[in-house]
Amino acid sequence: MKKENTLYIVIPCYNEEEVLHETTKRLKEKLNKLIKDKVISKNSRVMYVNDGSKDKTWDLIKEIDESEELFTGITLSRNRGHQNALVAGLLTAKEYADVVISMDADLQDDINAIDEMLEKYYAGFDIVYGVRSSRKKDTFFKKVTAEGFYKFMSLMGVDIVFNHADYRLTSKRVLCEFEGYKEVNLFLRGIFPLIGFKSDVVYYERAERFAGESKYPLKKMLSFAWDGISSFSVKPLRMICVLGFIILFFSFIIMLYSLIQKFTGNTVDGWAFITISIWFIGGLQMISIGIIGEYIGKIYNETKARPRFIISENLNEKKK
Ligand code: UDP
Ligand code: MG
């Protein structure tokens, strides 16, 4: 087995004072065991990212950083939301770590999956996605809305791993490539599949939040879903074009129908003309908007300036 790598666990925290102690306790046990078993190096850490919390979260993190060798933290100048807090943590941690795992502060994601994630990492996988095997512990409402979210996203052309949130392992080189994605509207679970490299999944049971409340009410979830679609897919724009063609097609049927009505004398004067015009012009307008949409879609993709490719191996380098 190769030399133990340094693992950083990145945890965004927003008003999490109720859970931090328990989370710290459980993760400390886990890390100590992994270090003892020589799976990870002694320099491994848990890095809390305080996302502009309004409660005592940051004071607690400072205390924990003082008293616990394996724990440290950073804080953002204000609340920037889960995704941005995660990015801040991932990009900071990659400076110190060989491999980083991100998870939530409430430990709803089973920390025992870490072992399997690391196994896969040592077996050569650069990204390991944590996937919920079931949602037995979620409320019916959360289950339906959350699973609907994944289905709707893929319908809208966003490539994501089903039932995978932000519990994931990424190697240092993935994070280095990730830095090249400069977009401000971030939807991490869509970006990592884009980066590529060898990836695998690990299944785990999602538990209940052991304290505190969800920071993702339905409103935030909906805006998150829309963010994901609008920062990843031009499909909604393309749908305008398709709709335009459908309406135009109908306008021909309506034209036939109107003319038949007119010539069988079932109409008042001018009815056929107006009906045909409305449908035909409606369809034309829709198609025109769709065409403009296609161009906007192109501009949108250009402004993102995403890397065009990532080379994962260069055999010539190895010859030197
Ligand atoms: N979070 C954050 N900033 C926010 C909202 C949430 O850093 O503005 C963190 C939160 O502290 C937690 C994680 O994001 O660690 C996931 O939030 P939560 O557990 O409330 O979401 P749920 O599991 O209910 O979807
Ligand atoms: Mg949670």
Side-chain angles (χ1 to χ4, degrees):
M1 196 163 147
K2 53 182 176 183
K3 198 176 143 283
E4 306 98 75
N5 284 184
T6 301
L7 166 73
Y8 265 59
I9 298 180
V10 168
I11 304 186
C13 307
Y14 176 61
N15 296 346
E16 297 285 11
E17 60 182 12
E18 285 151 297
V19 307
L20 271 180
H21 277 305
E22 179 65 23
T23 300
T24 303
K25 193 179 125 226
R26 293 196 204 170
L27 282 173
K28 187 176 164 187
E29 265 170 40
K30 185 91 226 164
L31 277 193
N32 276 327
K33 176 145 196 316
L34 287 168
I35 292 172
K36 200 171 129 249
D37 294 346
K38 298 206 178 321
V39 181
I40 55 174
S41 87
K42 283 203 280 292
N43 302 325
S44 301
R45 296 277 178 280
V46 171
M47 179 176 269
Y48 290 122
V49 182
N50 174 39
D51 181 19
S53 302
K54 295 186 176 61
D55 63 2
K56 296 211 185 61
T57 301
W58 181 233
D59 294 331
L60 276 177
I61 294 175
K62 282 193 278 191
E63 264 171 42
I64 294 167
D65 170 81
E66 285 276 309
S67 58
E68 301 288 346
E69 166 103 35
L70 295 175
F71 289 76
T72 181
I74 57 174
T75 184
L76 305 189
S77 58
R78 48 164 287 207
N79 179 251
R80 295 297 328 218
H82 178 212
Q83 299 286 293
N84 287 315
L86 255 179
V87 176
L90 291 175
L91 293 183
T92 312
K94 91 172 198 317
E95 303 298 324
Y96 313 98
D98 302 307
V99 51
V100 178
I101 292 179
S102 52
M103 61 164 74
D104 293 351
D106 51 21
L107 298 192
Q108 282 185 286
D109 306 314
D110 184 7
I111 61 170
N112 292 317
I114 293 178
D115 303 58
E116 211 183 319
M117 284 183 167
L118 285 168
E119 253 170 54
K120 302 224 161 164
Y121 165 71
Y122 282 117
F125 290 97
D126 279 283
I127 307 181
V128 185
Y129 300 101
V131 173
R132 290 156 199 183
S133 57
S134 76
R135 286 177 176 270
K136 273 183 241 140
K137 306 263 171 57
D138 273 353
T139 60
F140 177 73
F141 182 71
K142 178 92 192 177
K143 180 177 151 77
V144 170
T145 48
E147 292 198 336
F149 167 90
Y150 290 101
K151 290 198 180 119
F152 186 61
M153 297 290 289
S154 63
L155 198 73
M156 282 291 150
V158 187
D159 181 20
I160 49 173
V161 180
F162 189 70
N163 262 344
H164 158 71
D166 283 306
Y167 187 23
R168 99 175 63 73
L169 174 147
T170 40
S171 69
K172 189 185 186 107
R173 74 165 168 167
V174 167
L175 291 175
C176 288
E177 299 298 346
F178 167 65
E179 222 174 357
Y181 290 74
K182 302 282 185 207
E183 54 208 85
V184 176
N185 289 300
L186 264 179
F187 187 70
L188 291 175
R189 42 193 103 159
I191 286 196
F192 284 100
L194 276 187
I195 296 179
F197 290 113
K198 261 176 86 178
S199 67
D200 204 351
V201 296
V202 160
Y203 293 94
Y204 68 93
E205 292 256 347
R206 183 164 161 94
E208 271 168 89
R209 214 178 215 281
F210 62 82
E213 276 178 5
S214 170
K215 312 290 181 291
Y216 264 106
L218 184 66
K219 196 170 143 241
K220 254 197 192 168
M221 218 157 96
L222 286 179
S223 90
F224 185 53
W226 175 241
D227 249 10
I229 294 164
S230 59
S231 43
F232 266 87
S233 170
V234 289
K235 214 164 172 180
L237 289 176
R238 189 145 297 159
M239 278 158 70
I240 301 176
C241 235
V242 174
L243 199 65
F245 279 109
I246 293 174
I247 292 177
L248 203 64
F249 174 74
F250 267 102
S251 87
F252 288 113
I253 296 176
I254 300 264
M255 194 193 296
L256 265 181
Y257 170 77
S258 308
L259 289 177
I260 293 170
Q261 293 293 321
K262 183 179 163 69
F263 289 121
T264 49
N266 282 336
T267 61
V268 287
D269 261 359
W271 176 83
F273 178 72
I274 290 178
T275 314
I276 294 170
S277 307
I278 289 175
W279 276 85
F280 188 70
I281 295 195
L284 272 190
Q285 279 179 336
M286 208 55 133
I287 290 176
S288 311
I289 296 173
I291 291 173
I292 296 174
E294 288 290 318
Y295 283 92
I296 293 180
K298 289 262 150 71
I299 298 172
Y300 154 99
N301 279 326
E302 294 289 343
T303 50
K304 283 189 176 299
R306 284 181 179 156
R308 275 174 290 185
F309 54 81
I310 292 167
I311 295 173
S312 63
E313 250 175 280
N314 177 350
L315 295 177
N316 200 32
E317 278 287 304
K318 288 184 181 158
K319 274 195 183 137
K320 276 198 243 163

